[in-house]
Amino acid sequence: MSISSLFFKGAVLWFVAGTSVGMQMGLSGNHNFIDAHAHLNLLGWVSSALFGCFYKLHPIIAAKRRTWVHFTLYNAGLALMLPSLYLVQAGYEWAEPLMQIGSTLTWAGVIVFAILVVTAPGLGKNGVGI
Ligand code: HEM
Ligand code: HEM
């Protein structure tokens, strides 16, 4: 499966989780989970969908093996960070170190993406640019 499709599949799963927490807050009237909801939707759904769009627009970059490092670090980080953030907001403070490790992994994934974009040869030329 292409890296672009993988990011979109991940994005949709995070979207379901993010909107579910939104529904939970809306229906219960307990808005304690704003941070978990915001980051499930913005890091999970929106940013992953943007990565998917970017890789679809740039097949030369998408063909690089390091995109898998980006995908794995980013999503493994989110899988640790976001449920832990939810637990922290539910009052389980023991989950805080897990949240910190997860967010560090996610951030490392962002750095790998940034390096891929900045070092891409010919970005903007020969029809591969935005
Ligand atoms: C079924 C869909 C959704 C529901 C039911 C929902 C519900 C909510 C609720 C109840 C709050 C708390 C509001 C407050 O206490 O001030 C909230 C906040 C928020 N939502 Fe959603 N939401 C949904 C989708 C989304 C999506 C798709 C995004 C982003 C792409 C998003 C981004 C945010 C953000 C950033 C906040 C925090 C705003 C702040 O910092 O005050 N939500 N949402
Ligand atoms: C590893 C990445 C990220 C980390 C560690 C992070 C961390 C944080 C922290 C610590 C806060 C303050 C929460 C509070 O005071 O309760 C926050 C708030 C916020 N962040 Fe992030 N953030 C990240 C990525 C993003 C991204 C990519 C977006 C948008 C695309 C975003 C949107 C927001 C918004 C809208 C708020 C305010 C709403 C809220 O209180 O939840 N964040 N973030």
Side-chain angles (χ1 to χ4, degrees):
M1 187 184 295
S2 71
I3 195 73
S4 157
S5 301
L6 260 180
F7 266 113
F8 274 117
K9 291 207 189 253
V12 166
L13 295 180
W14 292 121
F15 198 21
V16 171
T19 50
S20 299
V21 175
M23 290 303 294
Q24 180 205 338
M25 288 195 296
L27 295 175
S28 68
N30 173 1
H31 291 190
N32 279 355
F33 299 95
I34 287 188
D35 290 350
H37 167 71
H39 291 88
L40 277 162
N41 278 316
L42 293 170
L43 275 170
W45 159 238
V46 178
S47 302
S48 298
L50 284 173
F51 293 140
C53 291
F54 180 85
Y55 286 131
K56 192 72 192 166
L57 282 168
H58 295 288
I60 294 172
I61 303 178
K64 289 186 183 289
R65 282 214 198 118
R66 253 181 300 160
T67 57
W68 293 89
V69 180
H70 170 209
F71 178 83
T72 307
L73 277 174
Y74 191 79
N75 280 286
L78 291 188
L80 197 54
M81 170 188 176
L82 297 173
S84 308
L85 175 53
Y86 183 93
L87 287 172
V88 168
Q89 297 201 286
Y92 299 100
E93 282 176 22
W94 55 262
E96 199 156 338
L98 299 177
M99 184 183 77
Q100 289 164 345
I101 295 168
S103 52
T104 305
L105 289 175
T106 295
W107 176 77
V110 171
I111 298 303
V112 172
F113 177 64
I115 292 171
L116 270 165
V117 173
V118 170
T119 61
L123 193 65
K125 292 182 194 159
N126 305 325
V128 295
I130 293 174

